[in-house]
Amino acid sequence: MEHNAIQQYKEQSINTMTPGELLLLLYDELVKNLMRCDLALEKKEYEMMEAAADKGIEIIRYLDDILDNQYPISRELHKLYDFFGYQLARVKIGRNKDVLDQVRPMISDLRDSFRQADKNCTEEAEKKPAVEQN
């Protein structure tokens, strides 16, 4: 019974998020899986590492699939997502921590850029009604 209530709460939370919040949630999940991948590599728990890498690749594919190609930046993001997916596959196949250490800060920086962009958009949206009232 309690599990069902928790699941309903999670679904309601997701359904009320803005597109920017949903995007950040995906990036947070991606970064979390990269951390799991790193920890699993250190502990030589390769099954866990592969599962975390697969989940990361899945998130990157989804991010690539939802790009709106009417914007020029989408082409650049597509290239980045392609690169990230390739690198994570290298991490998974070669159990390569060096590649993970290279790509993880890049993904974190991109997440931080989207977080700042979302914050800027939210601030602009909050200012707009005040300006229109004058």
Side-chain angles (χ1 to χ4, degrees), residues 2 4 21 28 61 65 84 102 110-111 122-123 134:
E2 186 177 312
N4 192 26
E21 291 170 331
D28 288 342
R61 282 190 191 134
D65 287 346
F84 292 153
Q102 178 189 44
L110 188 57
R111 176 198 57 190
T122 301
E123 289 173 359
N134 292 332

Side-chain angles (χ1 to χ4, degrees), residues 6 9 16 26 31 41 46 48 50 66 85 94 106 118-119 130:
I6 292 171
Y9 173 77
T16 59
L26 283 168
V31 170
L41 272 171
Y46 299 121
M48 182 192 302
E50 289 176 5
I66 64 171
M106 296 168 75
D118 185 53
K119 181 180 175 187

Side-chain angles (χ1 to χ4, degrees), residues 17 34 60-61 70 85 87 97-98 102 110 124 131:
M17 288 179 157
L34 295 178
I60 289 168
R61 282 190 191 134
Q70 72 175 334
Q87 294 298 75
K97 187 169 174 5
D98 292 337
Q102 178 189 44
L110 188 57
E124 285 298 315
V131 172

